[in-house]
Amino acid sequence: MSLEEYTPSSNFISDIIEEDLKAGKYRGVHTRFPPEPNGYLHIGHAKSICLNFGLAEKYRGLCNLRFDDTNPIKEEAEYAESIIEDVRWLGFDWGDRLFYASDYFEKLYEYAVQLIRNGKAYVDDLSAEEIRQYRGTLTEPGRESPHRSRPVEENLALFGRMRAGEFGDGSRTLRAKIDMASGNLNMRDPVMYRILKSPHLRTGDKWRIYPMYDWAHGLSDSIEGITHSICTLEFEDHRPLYDWFLDALGAYRPKQMEFARLNISYTVMSKRKLLRLVQEGHVSGWNDPRMPTLSGLRRRGYTPEAIRNFCDRIGVAKTYSVVDIALLEHCLRENLNRSAPRVMAVLRPLRVVIDNYPENVVEELEALNNPEDPGMGTRRIPFSRVLYIEQEDFREEPPKDFFRLAPGREVRLKHAYIIKCERVVKDEKTGEITGLHCTYDPETKSGSPKGERKVKGTLHWVSAAHAHKAEVRLYDHLFVKPETEDENQCPDFKSCLNPNSLEVLKPCYVEPGMAGAAAGSRYQFLRLGYFCVDSASSSDGMPVFNRTATLRDTWAKIEKKQKTAGK
Ligand code: ATP
Ligand code: MG
């Protein structure tokens, strides 16, 4: 699926937009994706990105990328850069509309002055702790601050002095004068500005006060003329506040709509927890291939198409749910099955000598690059007397349903010949199997007229003298419990970490044609799964392959079961 073909499926938000357009409420659709540059984007953000940019695409509107950079303490340039890279990688384009909430700091200040003039905001001297105490609870009303009825002139003067940096961090705030008895805690005189003498990434030392998210967010949407402001559910209770601010200022009011956050089984999605994984060294960084971050998924071998398709298939709803990670993997397999060339690689090598194959002869065998797409062509693979096969493809004492190699048994080597195991070689001391002696049947070459004699097992292999060494990293879920975010299942998320989420194998052997594979290249290793050349490391000069996914599609099974259950 190319981006040109990408139009998101309908959902309750697109239904509302369509009604609005039909009713002539808006001339076009203008959305935005508003990340805070305080961490890397994850697959949950991808849902919001696909929704916002996708709706703009669907209705031939616009979508802005806007950084909500109101908290200089937690924000870093590295994060902002990674966000830009990730949204681009997903395939979306904001044109010349890359904005920052900090672009509006001056304007927001003027708006605040306007509210003070109208008697709708006041400077408070209560500390953060006192404000919390005065706020009340869900069952008890709050109490009004003793500074609530300060005269307008005094408020104006104090607010000006706050800006000038005359007061210490946290010593005063600017608050909206709304209703301390409101049933909605967000309406109990929320803080609009705090004093914070921290340099800001973009405005440097210019500001000594910073707008709170709730003050900046709705106004930024209004300033940019956003028609449909799409948020996650936790902002539903903030909507009355945004409306109050905008109405008090007589400003344009976008239409806010909320949807449920994406959660995925066996992983965490909160930036705070992801940061802890990085800081405490449970993963190698934000882009560790086990992370649900977009940079981690990219390094793991995920394609933008697979992620966009996943975001579309999970739909948009208002109820909390945890999506099975098997669906994400299913979307990936669907995509890679069509696009990834097949190759052969041996992860745990077992040496095989074909005794009746001449020494010093090398045959070049023809192999299809992708049976799903003959257009991807063919390649030649060397076959010779000494090969590697997978250790687990041989059993000295095979169980009943084992159809691979065993003493006296025959199997086909993919694209090559049928071989028969004649003798097992063992380490004299340990008894460990170190190699096999086999014979081949020259009449059985794949593709030759007489070559199609049937045997039960087909194995992948590489020619020992021609194969290239590689390191392969196998990944499993980061966590052992499906609902990792559920405090009942994982009271401390660290205790739920999967100690076996990474397994490193080396040396492994890959077909010679893959020697120079570029970072990020994706392959299907026959019978083993999808693999991608790591972009961040090599191992003693060997390329590193990350296992993107196994071939086993558990989602297809789940879907089938659901369908039969529904009948
Ligand atoms: P924070 O707690 O730091 O605010 P956040 O995950 O909300 O974390 P933002 O940078 O504020 O991060 O998110 C940007 C946008 O992405 C917001 O509109 C937010 O609603 C949306 N978003 C974040 N997490 C998810 C998720 N899991 N599913 C869907 N949308 C999400
Ligand atoms: Mg947020």
Side-chain angles (χ1 to χ4, degrees):
M1 179 175 60
S2 75
L3 194 57
E4 290 71 51
E5 296 161 40
Y6 178 74
T7 31
S9 307
S10 299
N11 53 57
F12 80 92
I13 292 181
S14 66
D15 291 347
I16 294 174
I17 291 181
E18 255 164 55
E19 275 168 33
D20 286 348
L21 290 175
K22 262 191 220 136
K25 279 194 198 159
Y26 302 93
R27 254 174 294 150
V29 171
H30 201 150
T31 56
R32 85 290 174 259
F33 172 63
E36 183 177 358
N38 63 350
Y40 280 63
L41 296 182
H42 51 61
I43 180 84
H45 293 113
K47 176 176 180 177
S48 173
I49 295 169
C50 289
L51 183 59
N52 279 295
F53 280 94
L55 287 168
E57 207 120 324
K58 186 168 178 150
Y59 299 106
R60 308 204 179 283
L62 299 171
C63 181
N64 298 353
L65 176 59
R66 183 205 318 136
F67 285 106
D68 260 321
D69 55 346
T70 51
N71 184 2
I73 296 171
K74 289 196 177 160
E75 293 158 8
E76 287 177 27
E78 177 197 337
Y79 295 142
E81 285 155 20
S82 76
I83 289 169
I84 288 178
E85 186 185 352
D86 288 349
V87 180
R88 272 222 180 97
W89 176 73
L90 269 185
F92 296 108
D93 185 10
W94 49 89
D96 58 356
R97 283 160 287 99
L98 171 59
F99 299 127
Y100 296 81
S102 56
D103 296 340
Y104 314 132
F105 279 178
E106 196 64 52
K107 218 168 199 164
L108 294 176
Y109 182 85
E110 286 163 21
Y111 277 136
V113 167
Q114 192 183 326
L115 281 196
I116 297 174
R117 286 222 159 87
N118 297 343
K120 290 180 174 164
Y122 60 98
V123 171
D124 199 356
D125 303 353
L126 294 185
S127 67
E129 182 48 36
E130 286 165 324
I131 290 181
R132 229 188 326 276
Q133 283 165 11
Y134 275 64
R135 186 179 295 132
T137 64
L138 280 173
T139 48
E140 274 172 50
R143 278 178 294 145
E144 293 186 352
S145 161
H147 314 286
R148 198 175 197 258
S149 42
R150 263 194 173 125
V152 168
E153 288 311 315
E154 195 179 322
N155 280 321
L156 285 174
L158 282 173
F159 190 47
R161 291 172 64 196
M162 277 168 66
R163 175 178 183 164
E166 287 187 29
F167 309 117
D169 280 14
S171 62
R172 285 193 161 91
T173 55
L174 183 74
R175 297 178 69 180
K177 196 190 247 184
I178 308 181
D179 178 8
M180 288 307 291
S182 171
N184 181 345
L185 268 65
N186 294 306
M187 303 298 276
R188 294 186 187 172
D189 290 12
V191 173
M192 296 162 57
Y193 276 91
R194 56 189 175 146
I195 301 172
L196 192 62
K197 291 179 179 157
S198 233
H200 184 281
L201 276 176
R202 294 179 54 84
T203 58
D205 288 325
K206 182 169 179 210
W207 292 91
R208 331 275 35 203
I209 54 173
Y210 288 98
M212 300 303 287
Y213 179 85
D214 276 345
W215 170 242
H217 187 77
L219 274 170
S220 302
D221 279 349
S222 170
I223 291 167
E224 290 176 15
I226 299 305
T227 55
H228 297 85
S229 166
I230 301 162
C231 309
T232 37
L233 276 183
E234 69 271 24
F235 292 101
E236 197 162 21
D237 290 346
H238 297 238
R239 183 170 7 114
L241 174 59
Y242 300 163
D243 290 349
W244 187 92
F245 280 142
L246 295 172
D247 291 349
L249 294 164
Y252 160 74
R253 219 166 105 170
K255 179 169 196 158
Q256 178 173 315
M257 290 176 282
E258 304 86 9
F259 70 100
R261 271 175 184 262
L262 168 66
N263 300 289
I264 297 187
S265 58
Y266 297 103
T267 191
V268 290
M269 212 75 91
S270 118
K271 273 194 251 176
R272 190 176 50 81
K273 288 180 182 168
L274 293 174
L275 181 62
R276 266 187 69 194
L277 287 173
V278 174
Q279 284 179 338
E280 295 171 16
H282 304 297
V283 294
S284 63
W286 284 95
N287 69 345
D288 185 298
R290 290 166 290 178
M291 292 280 271
T293 51
L294 294 180
S295 51
L297 291 167
R298 174 164 65 235
R299 196 173 153 197
R300 175 85 170 252
Y302 270 78
T303 58
E305 290 85 354
I307 293 176
R308 290 199 303 260
N309 190 243
F310 168 76
C311 290
D312 199 44
R313 284 178 72 161
I314 54 176
V316 182
K318 267 198 175 283
T319 41
Y320 172 90
S321 71
V322 178
V323 174
D324 195 323
I325 195 164
L327 176 58
L328 178 62
E329 292 170 355
H330 174 77
C331 293
L332 178 79
R333 289 189 190 98
E334 256 182 4
N335 181 224
L336 291 185
N337 183 41
R338 275 175 278 126
S339 61
R342 271 61 164 166
V343 293
M344 293 200 284
V346 172
L347 304 192
R348 297 175 182 88
L350 175 63
R351 194 165 180 270
V352 171
V353 180
I354 316 252
D355 290 329
N356 62 339
Y357 196 86
E359 279 183 59
N360 304 323
V361 169
V362 180
E363 270 181 274
E364 296 279 335
L365 304 175
E366 179 107 348
L368 263 184
N369 287 331
N370 189 349
E372 299 282 322
D373 179 6
M376 286 171 74
T378 60
R379 69 189 184 290
R380 302 180 85 76
I381 326 168
F383 183 86
S384 66
R385 182 180 154 89
V386 184
L387 314 168
Y388 292 120
I389 63 166
E390 209 70 60
Q391 282 169 22
E392 63 175 27
D393 283 337
F394 175 78
R395 289 283 184 87
E396 201 171 13
E397 287 162 22
K400 234 169 80 197
D401 52 357
F402 187 85
F403 299 118
R404 298 174 247 171
L405 203 54
R409 285 238 190 126
E410 284 188 322
V411 292
R412 173 171 291 284
L413 294 180
K414 183 78 184 171
H415 304 306
Y417 297 96
I418 290 177
I419 59 165
K420 181 176 179 185
C421 176
E422 308 285 354
R423 188 159 59 86
V424 183
V425 186
K426 291 185 183 173
D427 184 295
E428 275 176 21
K429 278 190 210 130
T430 61
E432 200 186 320
I433 297 170
T434 55
L436 303 176
H437 281 272
C438 297
T439 50
Y440 86 116
D441 178 351
E443 301 285 295
T444 56
K445 188 169 175 178
S446 289
S448 70
K450 288 201 289 179
E452 297 311 319
R453 177 154 75 83
K454 291 276 182 284
V455 282
K456 276 196 169 158
T458 301
L459 309 186
H460 60 272
W461 55 275
V462 292
S463 165
H466 304 92
H468 277 271
K469 285 186 182 173
E471 177 178 315
V472 170
R473 298 181 187 158
L474 305 181
Y475 301 102
D476 197 356
H477 302 325
L478 251 185
F479 294 90
V480 290
K481 294 273 174 69
E483 297 219 18
T484 318
E485 303 266 21
D486 178 350
E487 311 268 310
N488 292 320
Q489 282 200 32
C490 292
D492 172 21
F493 84 109
K494 253 170 66 181
S495 64
C496 282
L497 275 172
N498 177 2
N500 304 313
S501 58
L502 168 65
E503 187 182 356
V504 178
L505 302 175
K506 68 178 164 183
C508 307
Y509 291 93
V510 298
E511 274 181 28
M514 294 161 69
S521 315
R522 303 176 184 91
Y523 297 94
Q524 185 190 116
F525 289 2
L526 277 187
R527 300 175 64 229
L528 296 173
Y530 294 101
F531 291 78
C532 172
V533 182
D534 192 64
S535 52
S537 48
S538 65
S539 170
D540 307 324
M542 296 185 263
V544 172
F545 286 88
N546 294 314
R547 184 171 70 194
T548 317
T550 59
L551 294 176
R552 201 178 49 248
D553 194 338
T554 48
W555 179 256
K557 276 190 209 140
I558 297 169
E559 222 174 18
K560 209 168 151 193
K561 234 192 242 165
Q562 284 173 344
K563 273 190 194 142
T564 18
K567 266 181 197 157

